Amino acid sequence: MNFEYNETQNMIAQSIRDFAEQHIRPNIMEWDEAQHFPVDLFKKLGEMGFMGVLVPEELGGSGLGYHEYITVVEEISKVDPSIGLSVAAHNSLCTNHILTFGNEEQKKKWIPKLATAEHIGAWGLTEHNTGSDAGGMNTTAVKDGDHWVVNGAKNFITHAKSGDIAVVIVRTGEKGDSKGMTAFVFEKGMPGFTSGKKENKLGMRASETAELIFDNCRIPDTNRLGEVGDGFVQAMKILDGGRISIGALSLGIAKGAYEAALKYSKERYQFGQPISNFQGIAFKLADMATEIEASELLLHKAAFLKNNNKKMTLAGAMGKMYSSEVCVRVSNEAVQIHGGYGYTKDYPVEKFYRDSKLCTIGEGTTEIQKLVISRNLLKG
């Protein structure tokens, strides 16, 4: 096995580092404190091919695989995780859902503009009363001729206000029936399709999170993805790949926090020597570095399986669960190593700490990952 970055990954990493230093780092705290979602930044990322990483070149994308995709999300997240989160949601949820389950006409209609970020993508499954229990959703679609009438609301939706395209799973059958849900593509401007409350969040504040509202929204049947009743199964398959996304986001956060802590430990002097000389600090760094290495290996194993069309549900859940918990632990220790300064906004680790917690919640909580893992283990 080759554990080195390939040539493409090295080019991507360097390209993102240069881009992030110029366009992201100077604005991190301003965007964070204002909860500003920098749409123009994502247009620039789209021009560079980072908003259509997995999209074939003939549809306007970069035509890359999951190893390269991890590199994109990780490198952005080392600088600003909230930007990494939005890149991940756009690529792996909205765009990838249409790419995976859309027909040729649908792909040609929506994918090229998503791949270049001419259109920003959203994806809706969660509702106010249905988080992990997606099957209990209340948003319904009722057939009316060659249209469907949709009523209800989705919440905690990335890009709900600024998104141009949203893939949304709604109930077309009985509540709790895994064959009672269907996916549709909604377009901004459709009558009855609006956004609602924007969440005021602990972290990931430059990544927009808000409600999607459907009030007698009429959507043509041609906007349906796949067969009626396939929506839940589609969503679970999309979340399989999405776990690699959140894992990559977690990996970037952990690396960013670790690198900041390592640098600080060498510069901060106490008792006449750098604090990195003290075993209490050095052992923290050793634990952090080891857990980051393990996270990276788990994620690239899942990426290898995904690239080769092999079953990766177990590997993806393990990678997501482990790396998300690691990024919280590493961020916590990075704050501890910084001492009082770690609690201030003058240093980057307080933001990594705030941003990290979302990774253990979003796209399947740690507890849901354990459920997925244990069920897969016990099946055999």
Side-chain angles (χ1 to χ4, degrees):
M1 295 176 71
N2 182 3
F3 294 101
E4 297 293 322
Y5 264 13
N6 60 38
E7 186 179 348
T8 304
Q9 285 174 286
N10 277 319
M11 286 172 57
I12 288 169
Q14 192 55 56
S15 176
I16 289 174
R17 287 171 198 148
D18 294 343
F19 179 88
E21 289 304 317
Q22 183 178 351
H23 298 288
I24 299 177
R25 194 177 297 282
N27 304 298
I28 291 173
M29 292 316 297
E30 180 187 337
W31 291 342
D32 182 74
E33 293 185 359
Q35 292 206 95
H36 172 66
F37 178 62
V39 174
D40 289 347
L41 178 82
F42 293 96
K43 304 292 186 186
K44 290 190 181 82
L45 285 165
E47 290 169 9
M48 297 174 71
F50 297 139
M51 297 295 274
V53 181
L54 303 167
V55 174
E57 291 181 41
E58 59 267 25
L59 287 171
S62 298
L64 299 172
Y66 273 83
H67 294 299
E68 292 79 13
Y69 178 55
I70 288 173
T71 303
V72 169
V73 176
E74 172 198 331
E75 289 292 341
I76 293 171
S77 303
K78 279 165 68 173
V79 178
D80 189 343
S82 56
I83 304 302
L85 172 62
S86 278
V87 169
H90 175 95
N91 272 282
S92 77
L93 296 180
C94 178
T95 306
N96 199 39
H97 198 136
I98 299 171
L99 186 64
T100 305
F101 296 107
N103 58 39
E104 289 307 309
E105 188 179 335
Q106 290 170 331
K107 290 179 192 177
K108 287 174 183 172
K109 180 177 180 182
W110 291 306
I111 292 292
K113 290 183 178 180
L114 286 166
T116 58
E118 181 181 338
H119 284 168
I120 301 292
W123 192 80
L125 179 65
T126 301
E127 298 184 4
H128 294 273
N129 295 313
T130 60
S132 299
D133 178 21
M137 67 175 59
N138 293 312
T139 302
T140 58
V142 178
K143 192 80 186 295
D144 181 23
D146 58 358
H147 282 68
W148 295 77
V149 180
V150 183
N151 283 286
K154 299 286 180 178
N155 79 326
F156 297 145
I157 307 304
T158 306
H159 312 149
K161 284 186 176 291
S162 298
D164 303 281
I165 299 290
V167 175
V168 183
I169 294 87
V170 300
R171 187 158 58 81
T172 51
E174 294 301 312
K175 187 178 285 194
D177 178 7
S178 64
K179 290 288 187 182
M181 289 162 273
T182 304
F184 292 90
V185 180
F186 291 81
E187 300 171 86
K188 181 179 275 188
M190 282 182 166
F193 175 50
T194 56
S195 57
K197 176 192 173 190
K198 181 177 176 179
E199 302 296 340
N200 187 4
K201 300 176 297 184
L202 169 71
M204 300 291 190
R205 289 168 61 85
S207 179
E208 176 185 281
T209 308
E211 290 177 309
L212 287 176
I213 297 171
F214 308 89
D215 182 10
N216 289 319
C217 176
R218 289 180 63 82
I219 185 167
D221 189 56
T222 51
N223 282 40
R224 171 171 48 82
L225 291 172
E227 299 301 318
V228 173
D230 282 354
F232 183 74
V233 174
Q234 290 178 10
M236 293 305 103
K237 288 180 179 174
I238 291 302
L239 287 172
D240 260 4
R243 287 172 187 144
I244 295 176
S245 286
I246 300 299
L249 173 64
S250 303
L251 182 63
I253 293 171
K255 284 188 176 182
Y258 164 74
E259 289 169 9
L262 180 66
K263 180 174 182 286
Y264 182 82
S265 73
K266 293 176 179 177
E267 295 171 351
R268 172 70 166 169
Y269 273 66
Q270 292 285 273
F271 306 101
Q273 57 187 310
I275 63 172
S276 58
N277 283 1
F278 298 111
Q279 194 176 81
I281 301 299
F283 278 16
K284 285 183 188 296
L285 293 167
D287 285 339
M288 293 157 80
T290 302
E291 291 192 316
I292 288 169
E293 186 79 5
S295 297
E296 192 157 24
L297 292 172
L298 278 169
L299 291 169
H300 280 287
K301 179 182 178 181
F304 170 80
L305 293 172
K306 185 73 174 172
N307 280 346
N308 288 279
N309 296 313
K310 295 179 183 290
K311 188 166 175 56
M312 49 71 64
T313 300
L314 179 61
M318 284 179 167
K320 194 275 185 187
M321 180 189 78
Y322 186 77
S323 58
S324 64
E325 292 291 339
V326 163
C327 84
V328 173
R329 287 197 293 272
V330 168
S331 300
N332 179 45
E333 291 288 41
V335 171
Q336 194 72 14
I337 288 170
H338 279 71
Y341 290 112
Y343 206 66
T344 72
K345 293 184 184 292
D346 295 330
Y347 289 80
V349 290
E350 68 84 28
K351 184 174 181 301
F352 285 124
Y353 186 47
R354 286 187 290 110
D355 289 345
S356 68
K357 190 58 197 165
L358 181 276
C359 297
T360 68
I361 299 168
E363 291 193 38
T365 62
T366 293
E367 292 71 24
I368 289 295
Q369 304 312 318
K370 288 181 178 180
L371 195 65
V372 171
I373 293 165
S374 59
R375 283 179 176 172
N376 272 269
L377 294 176
L378 294 168
K379 267 195 312 195

